[in-house]
């Protein structure tokens, strides 16, 4: 059976991702159809897909979202994903300006839509014929989506992910701001959720409530000061991949923790429970009232492996 038919089947499965009885019934019917029509379900033919859901809590019981708000939300997601993809592709600490080429390399295509939700295709970048990389070797859109989802809360009770934004790289802070910034008091507060099924089959999910969006906006408005780079030797004794937090024991049981971006996670996993030299970016957060936070840390290097998001200037909005 063709890969195209499998793609259509997978989109239908993605649109039935809910836990309600009708979604479960749709998934059961699709599984029967896959068996009847011999649709290949092996991981090798899976494609990456994103599902976006949006609801307006100030609306009626259905949570219906105005068309203008929905289109604005899609633009915000596209901008955040393109920004993160460019930072990883070009190894930049921050990305302020985006070109049409940046959007082409991290393009999101709406495949299907229903009330308050969209299933989105991820486009592979176009590469020159003489390029050593094939068109399917790197999916920048997927990288940008994964970075964005990991930076957002997993659910309404995930305050630790919100706190970790303090130590995130400048470009991640700017991308989250793309998503949650509120330009006008007339704009409704929207609840949103994002999920991605990676080409590997891994599924990641995030959600942001109006309460969480408000907290994130406050945190992103705080200035970072007293920046610096330090090198220490210690034992990596923990990693929370969902919240992108590392734990490092530096001396006699003293432990520090901080933010680690996606590009360094494999290096942290390889060195867990080992003594290793690391490089950390350090800074404090200072509120508008002048109150300073405890020192924050971001992992920049593990052994010889360097983060693809280098240290940079503060994010200015």
């Amino acid at each position: 059976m063709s890969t195209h038919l499998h793609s259509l089947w997978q989109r239908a499965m993605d649109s039935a991702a809910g836990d309600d009885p009708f979604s479960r019934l749709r998934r059961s019917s699709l599984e029967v159809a896959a068996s009847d029509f011999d649709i290949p379900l092996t991981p090798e033919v899976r494609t990456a897909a994103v599902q976006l859901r949006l609801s307006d809590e100030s609306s009626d019981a259905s949570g219906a979202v105005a068309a203008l708000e929905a289109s604005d939300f899609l633009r915000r997601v596209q901008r955040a994903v393109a920004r993160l993809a460019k930072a990883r592709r070009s190894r930049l600490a921050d990305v302020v300006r985006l070109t049409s080429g940046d959007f082409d390399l991290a393009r999101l295509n709406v495949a299907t839509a229903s009330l308050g939700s969209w299933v989105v295709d991820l486009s592979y970048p176009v590469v020159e014929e003489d390029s050593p990389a094939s068109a399917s070797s790197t999916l920048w859109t997927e990288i940008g989506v994964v970075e964005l989802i990991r930076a957002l809360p997993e659910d309404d009770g995930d305050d630790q992910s919100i706190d970790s934004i303090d130590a995130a790289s400048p470009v991640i802070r700017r991308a989250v701001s793309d998503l949650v910034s509120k330009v006008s008091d007339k704009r409704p507060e929207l609840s949103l959720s994002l999920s991605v099924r990676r080409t590997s089959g891994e599924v990641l999910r995030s959600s942001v409530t109006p309460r969480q969006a408000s907290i994130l906006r406050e945190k992103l408005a705080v200035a970072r000061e007293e920046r610096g780079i330090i090198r220490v030797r210690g034992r990596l004794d923990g990693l929370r991949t969902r919240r992108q937090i590392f734990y490092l024991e530096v001396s006699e049981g003293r432990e520090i923790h901080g933010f680690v971006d996606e590009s360094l996670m494999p290096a942290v996993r390889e060195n867990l429970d080992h003594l290793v030299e690391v490089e950390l970016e350090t800074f404090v957060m200072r509120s508008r009232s002048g109150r300073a936070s405890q020192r924050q840390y971001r992992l920049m290097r593990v052994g010889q492996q360097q983060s693809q998001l280098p240290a940079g200037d503060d994010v200015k909005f």
Side-chain angles (χ1 to χ4, degrees):
M1 191 62 63
S2 70
T3 302
H4 175 67
L5 181 57
H6 172 271
S7 178
L8 294 175
W9 179 89
Q10 189 64 64
R11 290 178 189 174
M13 284 293 284
D14 290 337
S15 67
D19 292 327
D20 57 281
F22 291 107
S23 295
R24 291 196 292 269
L25 180 61
R26 280 189 70 188
R27 289 197 297 272
S28 296
S29 300
L30 287 165
E31 288 168 359
V32 172
S35 176
D36 291 344
F37 291 96
D38 194 27
I39 298 175
L41 308 182
T42 58
E44 288 74 21
V45 297
R46 282 184 173 179
T47 56
V50 178
Q51 189 162 41
L52 318 175
R53 294 183 183 273
L54 197 63
S55 64
D56 183 357
E57 296 191 359
S58 65
S59 182
D60 55 26
S62 69
V65 178
L68 286 176
E69 296 298 332
S71 62
D72 177 66
F73 172 69
L74 287 173
R75 282 196 298 270
R76 287 170 175 270
V77 173
Q78 177 66 86
R79 179 168 292 276
V81 169
R83 194 183 303 281
L84 290 168
K86 181 174 183 177
R88 284 288 298 277
R89 189 175 70 250
S90 304
R91 304 201 175 194
L92 298 171
D94 194 11
V95 173
V96 177
R97 182 174 176 270
L98 291 168
T99 67
S100 59
D102 297 326
F103 287 110
D104 289 341
L105 285 171
R107 177 170 171 146
L108 296 165
N109 297 315
V110 177
T112 61
S114 59
L115 180 63
S117 68
W118 303 266
V119 175
V120 176
D121 277 339
L122 306 183
S123 295
Y124 284 91
V126 177
V127 296
E128 300 296 332
E129 291 184 2
D130 57 351
S131 170
S134 67
S136 60
S137 62
T138 304
L139 184 53
W140 293 115
T141 315
E142 182 179 347
I143 288 173
V145 170
V146 168
E147 291 274 16
L148 181 61
I149 286 179
R150 288 198 188 279
L152 296 172
E154 191 169 10
D155 51 45
D156 186 37
D158 186 10
D159 292 333
Q160 287 182 291
S161 286
I162 294 178
D163 291 339
S164 71
I165 199 69
D166 286 341
S169 67
V171 71
I172 288 178
R173 288 167 60 84
R174 191 181 292 278
V176 172
S177 181
D178 283 337
L179 204 65
V180 303
S181 62
K182 188 178 182 183
V183 297
S184 170
D185 289 336
K186 296 180 180 180
R187 180 178 169 183
E189 291 282 14
L190 304 176
S191 292
L192 62 96
S193 66
L194 297 170
S195 65
V196 60
R197 189 193 67 253
R198 308 186 69 176
T199 48
S200 64
E202 179 187 16
V203 176
L204 300 171
R205 295 183 177 87
S206 284
S207 67
V208 182
T209 65
R211 177 189 71 86
Q212 290 172 320
S214 178
I215 296 173
L216 284 168
R217 283 194 292 270
E218 290 179 8
K219 285 184 171 292
L220 292 167
V222 172
R224 303 206 289 202
E225 299 180 353
E226 300 177 27
R227 302 173 63 91
I229 298 292
I230 62 172
R231 295 173 181 83
V232 297
R233 186 171 178 81
R235 183 178 68 87
L236 283 166
D237 63 350
L239 173 67
R240 302 191 71 173
T241 57
R242 180 60 187 80
R243 297 189 177 102
Q244 294 183 267
I245 300 172
F246 74 92
Y247 298 87
L248 180 72
E249 187 180 88
V250 290
S251 63
E252 299 177 353
R254 176 174 168 262
E255 186 178 73
I256 61 177
H257 67 276
F259 187 89
V260 54
D261 66 70
E262 176 86 1
S263 66
L264 271 182
M265 283 188 183
V268 175
R269 291 192 188 97
E270 291 173 7
N271 288 280
L272 282 177
D273 205 30
H274 288 80
L275 282 172
V276 65
E277 183 179 277
V278 303
E279 188 172 276
L280 303 171
E281 181 182 24
T282 74
F283 44 84
V284 297
M285 314 296 293
R286 192 171 299 277
S287 68
R288 291 173 179 173
S289 66
R291 184 178 178 181
S293 71
Q294 293 183 337
R295 187 158 294 278
Q296 306 283 332
Y297 299 92
R298 181 165 77 94
L299 193 59
M300 302 300 303
R301 181 175 61 83
V302 178
Q304 299 301 313
Q305 185 65 42
Q306 191 79 27
S307 168
Q308 293 181 4
L309 297 177
D313 296 332
D314 296 328
V315 180
K316 298 179 178 62
F317 301 103

